[in-house]
């Protein structure tokens, strides 16, 4: 086992009506609130009203910043930070999925340190402090509600990149599975795929961490059992709860203790695809994971087969990859670029992007030849 530090300061409230405590919690940090959300799903499903009732109950002075897009942009973060500074806000309330919560985390750093958000994302600025972020999660997928990570894209520098800081854990996160009933089928499936991918990134990391491996096995099995059920019955509270909690556990540290780090090469590939074609995050992963595994199967056959044994009862690396693809297909996720209408004519564009950004894993290092092969395998 590797040395590790376990740290997770987020207070997580899970279950029906947990947002009834939102006002009280926000009030602990002040009254000037920057309310951040996306393109309007929360206005259609009633979540906006529930949040406003809570904020009004503490007489909050609310500044709203909405319109954050899926695969969020640094320009929106900059704008939100300017608005936040102008209104001297005390606390950010982020209501949405990963895109909104990630944007809020970086906005908070940008306001507190009076720094350009991209300078933070690129490690040019070293933030020392932050302002509190309270998250109300509406989509089970990224784990951002209980971790210190954010992923943002920048069209000026041609990239989507991640940033991790202990300052970025939300102070509190509110997870009411009922708030996810309205998530459409495709994004529900992408969320299931994302949480499986987070577990696998840890699984292919560095270090012999058997307990974390067993936690991964449990999380992925939970997703594979309840994922198809929630897709059939999107309004089933138990199924939504199981997927929501599995998504949090997949990326709140629990799958990584005892390892140096996860690999994260597949996410790097995924971010390149999202950047180029605005492909939803989870969909990039169900295309990239099989390709990455096919590239690695001659290098780490035992590790892949061990995963297959735990998940599917097979001892073959090839079968493991096939069965994983079969699962992704069964929940209507793409497993090839052609499934999302990206044809061979884009091969050069994708390869160039991967070579330019030098996509890589932390553990399983990729050569330029590997990068080209992965693109071929995704076609
Ligand atoms: O724009 P809104 O109205 O919010 O609609 C969103 C969006 O269209 C919609 N949605 C969310 N909750 C809903 C809902 N629609 C109906 N009912 C609801 N309850 O779903 C769409 C997708 O939302 P988004 O926030 O983009 O999805 P997700 O949560 O999957 O987040 C994806 C982003 O998170 C990053 C990804 O790269 C991507 O940018 N990630 C963040 C991570 C982290 N911070 O730890 C790790 C992940 O690996 C990932 O990279
Ligand atoms: Zn992810």
């Amino acid at each position: 086992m590797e040395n590790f530090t376990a740290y997770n300061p987020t207070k997580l409230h899970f279950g029906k009506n947990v947002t009834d405590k939102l006002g009280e919690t926000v009030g602990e940090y002040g009254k000037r609130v920057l309310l951040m959300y996306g393109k309007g799903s929360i206005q259609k499903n009633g979540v906006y009203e529930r949040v406003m009732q809570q904020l009004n109950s503490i007489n909050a002075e609310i500044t709203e910043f909405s319109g954050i897009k899926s695969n969020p942009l640094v320009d929106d973060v900059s704008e939100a930070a300017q608005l936040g500074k102008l209104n001297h806000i005390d606390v950010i309330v982020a209501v949405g999925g990963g895109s909104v919560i990630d944007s809020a985390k970086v906005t908070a750093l940008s306001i507190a340190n009076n720094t350009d958000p991209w300078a933070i994302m690129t490690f040019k600025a070293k933030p020392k402090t932050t302002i509190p972020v309270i998250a109300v999660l509406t989509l089970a997928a990224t784990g951002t509600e209980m971790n210190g990570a954010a992923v943002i894209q920048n069209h000026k520098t041609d990239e989507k990149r991640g940033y991790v800081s202990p300052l970025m854990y939300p102070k509190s996160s509110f997870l009411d599975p009922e708030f996810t009933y309205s998530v459409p089928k495709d994004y529900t499936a992408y969320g299931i795929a994302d949480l499986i991918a987070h577990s696998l990134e840890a699984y292919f990391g560095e270090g012999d961490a058997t307990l974390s491996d067993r936690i991964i096995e449990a999380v992925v099995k939970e997703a594979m059992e309840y994922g198809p059920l929630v897709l059939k019955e999107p309004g089933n509270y138990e199924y939504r709860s199981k997927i929501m909690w599995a998504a949090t556990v997949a990326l709140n540290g629990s799958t990584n203790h005892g390892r140096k780090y996860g690999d994260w090469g597949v996410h790097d590939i995924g971010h390149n695809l999202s950047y180029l074609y605005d492909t939803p995050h989870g969909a990039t992963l169900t295309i990239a994971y099989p390709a990455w595994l096919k590239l690695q199967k001659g290098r780490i056959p035992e590790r892949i087969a061990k995963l297959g044994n735990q998940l599917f009862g097979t001892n073959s690396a090839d079968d493991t990859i096939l069965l994983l693809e079969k699962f992704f297909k069964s929940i209507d996720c793409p497993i090839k670029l052609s499934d999302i209408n990206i044809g061979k004519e884009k091969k050069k564009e994708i390869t160039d992007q991967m070579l330019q950004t030098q996509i890589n894993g932390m553990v399983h290092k990729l050569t330029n030849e590997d990068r080209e092969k992965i693109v071929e395998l995704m076609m």
Side-chain angles (χ1 to χ4, degrees), residues 146-208:
M146 204 178 189
N147 71 36
V151 186
I152 305 285
Q153 58 172 323
N154 186 340
H155 283 294
K156 287 187 199 100
T157 61
D158 274 351
E159 62 192 319
K160 183 178 186 201
R161 61 154 64 217
Y163 179 75
V164 181
S165 159
L167 293 169
M168 287 204 305
Y169 286 84
K171 286 278 180 213
S172 280
S173 285
F174 291 82
L175 278 65
D176 185 337
E178 289 187 335
F179 285 12
T180 66
Y181 286 175
S182 55
V183 177
K185 276 202 168 165
D186 52 358
Y187 274 103
T188 300
Y190 301 152
I192 294 161
D194 194 19
L195 85 87
I196 292 174
H198 294 159
S199 306
L200 299 190
E201 296 282 18
Y203 183 83
F204 291 109
E206 173 146 345
D208 176 23

Side-chain angles (χ1 to χ4, degrees), residues 10-198:
T10 300
K11 189 168 188 177
L12 191 117
H13 308 268
F14 190 101
K16 257 179 213 175
N17 301 324
V18 281
T19 50
D20 290 354
K21 282 190 259 166
L22 177 67
E24 191 186 314
T25 303
V26 173
E28 288 170 21
Y29 301 101
K31 287 212 184 299
R32 287 166 304 199
V33 175
L34 178 63
L35 175 64
M36 295 178 67
Y37 55 97
K39 289 189 174 286
S41 64
I42 65 165
Q43 276 143 338
K44 290 190 199 119
N45 60 15
V47 170
Y48 177 83
E49 231 177 271
R50 297 272 293 271
V51 168
M52 286 307 261
Q53 270 166 10
Q54 284 295 310
L55 297 181
N56 288 332
S57 75
I58 57 160
N59 296 319
E61 295 162 31
I62 307 164
T63 303
E64 292 192 30
F65 186 90
S66 63
I68 290 162
K69 68 176 286 299
S70 192
N71 294 325
L73 301 172
V74 71
D75 294 344
D76 282 336
V77 174
S78 291
E79 234 182 276
Q82 273 163 26
L83 198 65
K85 271 187 254 173
L86 198 70
N87 291 285
H88 305 286
I89 63 136
D90 303 310
V91 46
I92 299 182
V93 176
V95 188
S99 296
V100 171
I101 298 170
D102 284 4
S103 299
K105 288 174 172 180
V106 184
T107 301
L109 286 180
S110 174
I111 294 173
N113 298 278
N114 201 14
T115 314
D116 169 54
W118 200 249
I120 296 170
M121 294 297 295
T122 50
F123 303 96
K124 286 186 187 117
K126 295 213 165 26
K128 295 197 169 53
T129 179
T130 191
I131 55 170
V133 172
I134 311 285
V136 177
L137 185 69
T138 65
L139 197 166
T142 62
T144 187
E145 65 276 10
M146 204 178 189
N147 71 36
V151 186
I152 305 285
Q153 58 172 323
N154 186 340
H155 283 294
K156 287 187 199 100
T157 61
D158 274 351
E159 62 192 319
K160 183 178 186 201
R161 61 154 64 217
Y163 179 75
V164 181
S165 159
L167 293 169
M168 287 204 305
Y169 286 84
K171 286 278 180 213
S172 280
S173 285
F174 291 82
L175 278 65
D176 185 337
E178 289 187 335
F179 285 12
T180 66
Y181 286 175
S182 55
V183 177
K185 276 202 168 165
D186 52 358
Y187 274 103
T188 300
Y190 301 152
I192 294 161
D194 194 19
L195 85 87
I196 292 174
H198 294 159

